[in-house]
Structure formats: structure tokens, C-alpha cells
Amino acid sequence: MYTKECFKLTQSHLWFTEYQSENLSIGLRIEKTLHSEQTPYQTLDVYSTHQYGNLLVLDGCVMTTDKDEFVYHEMLAHVPMHTHPNPKSVLVVGGGDGGIIREVIKHPSVERAVLAEIDGAVVEASKKYFPQIAQGLSDPRVDVQIVDGIKYVEDHKGEFDVILIDSTDPIGPAVGLFSKTFYDSVAEALKPDGIMAAQTESPFANQELIRRVYSDIGKTFPIVKLYLASIPTYPTGMWSFTMGSKVHRPEDVKDVRVANTRYYNAAVHQACLALPNFVKELVSE
């Protein structure tokens, strides 16, 4: 059994630290750097970590890890996908690692799934270093488009049953994905009973952003719902997603169509909609 002193002596001193705010950081001890490049849009790094397996970092921010990726990908995908009774055509904006696509195509009704990712380097790095996440990108139903997702949405009106916005943090190329103008374009790209969902950051660390996004989506869609999941490597561990729906309500879902999940199930679907009081207050202000 390790003593505290022995543990310290046997560990390497190579660490990745994400400075999540001026007062908050997360550190992961890494074995080695697997990949590093400056793409036309952002810095892209892949590390091998002791605690969470391979780690994808964009502009210094944790995007995904081998160990906890399934929580984020399942929750962003399956809550809105099950809320829609028959999703056939789905668009994922961002999400170049392929995790959301992997979950989307688990739904037997899906005939077409488009990935609109602005940075092709993310797709290629994910195929190489995260094959279990990117595996769905080779499915014949999947159409990978290396394009500006905002422009793609503007150019494809009325085409999709579900649009999922798997953005990075609201900095750099992702800023426009958190705007009221973009949500209006998303609504136009959806069919009359369409649904959108987006990752919307931490209720502890990003309260002003959540208030604004919830309000903006609520002005565009008649039904707006915020729901939560626990993701260890994201700031504070509590993460929010915001859904906008034209017709269907997530609380009406009784059964789920997808069984091969590790986090999401019918009970979790209902439970994630039950908000702690401080989050209720956040979105009711």
C-alpha cells in the first residue's frame, strides 16, 4: 500500500492544467503528449492521462476524455432524440470528435445524419486517437461536412427533425453558436415539429451565459427546457443542456428506443429535467 510520501515520489511531474476561470482550474497528470498542432481555427492537443485515458484539448480547454465522454455525448443526443417521436434527419453542429453522431445513429429511425464541423483537424485527430468515439463517422448514413456550421444552418431551411449543437466553450470560433441570431436560423432549418439542443456550460461557473441562452431560445421556441448531467472533467462537474422544441415536450417521454447506453435511460431522462432550486431560480429570473 502506498504511503502519501511514497505516492509523491513515484509520480511524474508532467501535468495538464485547464484554467477554467480566474479562480478555478483542473489538473490531470499526463503520461505523454500524443499530438499537438495549430489548426487554422484553434490549438489542438491530445494527451495520454493516467486518470482519464486520452484527453482532447482545444485552445487549452478539455473537450473529451476516454473515461467520461459517454455522459456528455449520450445526454446531448438522447434526451432530444427521444423527445422527437420519429427523428429521420439530424444535424450535428460542431462535434468533430464524432461522439454525438455515434449516439444519433443508434436510433433506428435515423436515415441521414450530417456533421457540420468547421475544423477538419479535429475529425482526423479523433479518428486516430479516439476511435471508440469517432466510430460512427464511417456509417453510410453519416455525411461529414467540413464547413462553418452557422453558414450550413442558414443554407438548409426546413430539412431537419433534430439539430444538436455540440460546441466548444463560447470563445473563438464557437462564439456565434451562442447567439439569438443563430437560434433563429436553427429554428428555420428545422421541420415544423423539430427540436434543437445545445450544451450550455456550468450552472456554477457560467450563470450569466445560461440565463441569456435560456432566454434567447425561449424567445425562438415555444417550449424550452434546461436539463443537467454530471461530467467530471468539465468545470464544476455539473453541466447543463438547453433544448428548444416546436411541439414535443421531453417530460412526455415514457419509453426509450436505445438500450446500448452507459448513462442514459428512461429514468435518467426524467430525472435530468428535475432542477435544483438554484438552477430553477437561474432560468426563471
Side-chain angles (χ1 to χ4, degrees):
M1 181 176 180
Y2 280 117
T3 65
K4 185 179 293 184
E5 291 77 14
C6 180
F7 180 80
K8 288 179 179 177
L9 288 173
T10 58
Q11 305 309 307
S12 73
H13 296 285
L14 187 61
W15 287 75
F16 164 79
T17 301
E18 176 187 350
Y19 295 96
Q20 299 174 338
S21 75
E22 293 181 357
N23 304 303
L24 178 68
S25 68
I26 181 175
L28 295 173
R29 190 168 64 89
I30 65 175
E31 295 179 306
K32 59 183 175 180
T33 299
L34 299 175
H35 183 87
S36 185
E37 69 174 297
Q38 178 66 50
T39 81
Y41 302 97
Q42 56 206 337
T43 59
L44 187 162
D45 299 290
V46 181
Y47 302 104
S48 172
T49 78
H50 291 268
Q51 187 71 31
Y52 287 105
N54 285 359
L55 162 68
L56 175 64
V57 176
L58 297 178
D59 281 340
C61 298
V62 172
M63 293 294 108
T64 197
T65 76
D66 283 334
K67 192 169 183 179
D68 69 351
E69 58 86 10
F70 65 94
V71 182
Y72 175 86
H73 293 134
E74 290 181 14
M75 292 301 285
L76 178 52
H78 293 308
V79 176
M81 288 291 290
H82 281 95
T83 299
H84 195 289
N86 190 32
K88 295 182 179 181
S89 183
V90 181
L91 170 64
V92 178
V93 178
D97 57 39
I100 301 299
I101 286 288
R102 181 193 65 195
E103 299 304 316
V104 162
I105 60 175
K106 290 179 180 179
H107 289 256
S109 62
V110 172
E111 299 172 354
R112 176 186 180 223
V114 178
L115 177 71
E117 164 64 52
I118 196 170
D119 196 342
V122 176
V123 175
E124 295 309 312
S126 298
K127 288 178 180 178
K128 182 174 182 179
Y129 298 105
F130 301 90
Q132 80 286 3
I133 301 178
Q135 59 184 283
L137 296 177
S138 60
D139 189 281
R141 293 169 292 173
V142 174
D143 177 14
V144 177
Q145 296 284 324
I146 305 303
V147 294
D148 181 342
I150 295 174
K151 184 68 164 57
Y152 189 91
V153 168
E154 292 173 349
D155 292 342
H156 293 79
K157 299 185 186 302
E159 288 192 17
F160 298 100
D161 298 302
V162 178
I163 295 178
L164 304 173
I165 304 162
D166 182 9
S167 67
T168 58
D169 295 334
I171 56 174
V175 169
L177 301 178
F178 291 84
S179 70
K180 174 67 164 57
T181 300
F182 177 62
Y183 302 138
D184 290 342
S185 295
V186 168
E188 292 177 352
L190 287 167
K191 296 177 182 178
D193 65 342
I195 295 173
M196 67 148 285
Q199 75 84 8
T200 46
E201 306 286 310
S202 163
F204 284 108
N206 307 97
Q207 295 185 352
E208 289 304 318
L209 180 139
I210 290 173
R211 286 192 189 99
R212 175 175 59 79
V213 167
Y214 188 87
S215 175
D216 287 346
I217 293 176
K219 292 172 184 175
T220 304
F221 291 85
I223 299 167
V224 57
K225 296 288 181 178
L226 185 139
Y227 62 95
L228 301 172
S230 297
I231 305 171
T233 52
Y234 285 2
T236 76
M238 176 183 281
W239 210 247
S240 77
F241 308 85
T242 304
M243 180 192 305
S245 177
K246 295 184 178 182
V247 176
H248 308 293
R249 296 180 179 276
E251 59 267 37
D252 294 338
V253 173
K254 303 303 180 186
D255 300 305
V256 301
R257 299 181 289 264
V258 174
N260 55 336
T261 54
R262 298 178 63 195
Y263 189 93
Y264 177 87
N265 57 39
V268 167
H269 181 103
Q270 296 298 329
C272 73
L273 299 166
L275 302 180
N277 286 340
F278 85 97
V279 181
K280 285 184 181 179
E281 294 169 2
L282 183 63
V283 296
S284 65
E285 293 174 359

